Amino acid sequence: MMGMQVQDVLASYVEDYFEALSGFSYGDLERRQHGFHASLAFGAAGIAYACWHAALVLGEPELLEEAERWLAATRGRERDRLSFLVPMSKLRERPASHFLFGEAGLAFVRALVAHARQEEAARAAALDRFVELSRESREGSPQLYNGAAGCLAGTAILAAYTGDGRLPDLGAELARDLAGRAIPAEGTFLWPELQGLGLAHGSAGPYLALLLHSVATGFPLPEWYAPSLESLLRGTLADASRLCPSESYHAMLCNGFTGLAFLGAEAHRALGGEGLLEVTRQAGFRALARPSHRPDLCCGRAGVAYACLALSRVDPEGPWKSKAMDFALSTLLCEREDWRKAGVYGGEAAIPCLAASLLAGIASGPPALELVGHADRS
């Protein structure tokens, strides 16, 4: 049980965040940050996700109205160049099927919020668009942040939360395609199109997406999955340069040991295996050894907090729960005006999600990568 002082700090932060948010507009967001204004990672979809998450875990349905306010502000902006790009980008247009940085993530959040608000027409329209974009994602990269693995993860979460009958079949289609693109390499299965082994843009991302889909729907994992994942973790522990270019990356969720620790913990929770648990613990300690000065989820301390929460579920005797709280509280020290982006992966919106889960006693996973209803209460 958390001490009252810690609970008060978390509750005060959550209250302050949403109070400040009520006076903030999409126009303010456009003026404050450079691009990605509508995205899940950096923009309005991420803000709406934070409102939806807090409404769900704290039992505050009025926050769904705030979520809808932000989603309403994005309507008609899907083709605005800076909704899903930065001003100086060499890309003329980001593919709509990109999950965290493209329109697919926005459709995903629209479906979550419409389902929570029991708005059937809006839910159906959002799911139709998400299904369409998810099928398009197969033509591009298999990565998690901006590819087919991301859309598979989103499909799994929507299937677990909405129960929509189309989603298990869509997930099976995406999962078969994703698994079929992996090839054996150095004792493990990897996706040769991807860069490195990290969670964001490397081969760990498809491993996580396949796992989320299997847990959500019961769809079987490839028989190579568990031994291959353990081999992948062992290989990175033996030679960290296979994962990331320097020790300064070790504490990152996106490209470091934090992401592998989260993946390993979720896999052990679903599949068991003492060997997998041991290498996951080691990945967790590697992440703790070089804490980031940044507070955000993707590259900073919020990511480590989430990985430690996942480890606390499978290794309750370890230091993970207290470490998760330490890292979570440290993220609250960042002044609001210092946050350069607004969404859940590079912006402040991840922090109210983390604080709300801790207040509710839920060891939830990172935003948009957590199966609703599968988190544990402490």
Side-chain angles (χ1 to χ4, degrees), residues 253 257-259 261-262 265 284 287 302-312 320 324 364 366:
L253 183 77
F257 284 104
T258 296
F262 171 66
V304 180
Y306 275 113
C308 287
L309 285 175
L311 275 159
S312 74
W320 313 113
S364 67

Side-chain angles (χ1 to χ4, degrees), residues 45-189:
I47 294 172
Y49 183 97
C51 296
W52 168 82
H53 178 85
L56 188 71
V57 303
L58 297 178
E60 297 184 6
E62 65 275 10
L63 290 176
L64 294 174
E65 301 306 311
E66 182 67 10
E68 177 56 28
R69 180 172 78 89
W70 284 92
L71 293 174
T74 67
R75 292 192 176 93
R77 298 177 185 263
E78 290 86 353
R79 300 274 68 85
D80 287 357
R81 185 173 183 274
L82 298 188
S83 291
F84 303 109
L85 277 177
V86 294
M88 301 302 291
S89 173
K90 293 180 182 179
L91 290 174
R92 291 178 60 86
E93 183 178 356
R94 177 171 288 275
S97 60
H98 284 190
F99 185 58
L100 286 184
F101 291 90
E103 188 188 342
L106 177 59
F108 165 79
V109 180
R110 284 174 174 166
L112 292 175
V113 173
H115 182 82
R117 299 179 78 217
Q118 300 181 350
E119 294 183 340
E120 184 52 39
R123 173 183 176 274
L127 283 174
D128 285 347
R129 183 60 174 154
F130 181 78
V131 169
E132 177 185 7
L133 294 175
S134 294
R135 290 205 163 101
E136 288 180 12
S137 75
R138 294 176 303 171
E139 300 173 8
S141 168
Q143 66 168 274
L144 184 68
Y145 274 26
N146 285 315
C151 286
L152 177 58
T155 299
I157 293 164
L158 288 171
Y161 182 57
T162 70
D164 187 277
R166 293 175 295 169
L167 295 170
D169 288 342
L170 170 66
E173 181 183 326
L174 296 174
R176 280 192 291 265
D177 183 72
L178 190 62
R181 295 166 73 171
I183 63 168
E186 300 180 14
T188 188
F189 277 75

Side-chain angles (χ1 to χ4, degrees), residues 293-310:
H293 69 280
R294 295 175 55 163
D296 62 280
L297 173 60
C298 182
C299 303
R301 299 188 301 276
V304 180
Y306 275 113
C308 287
L309 285 175

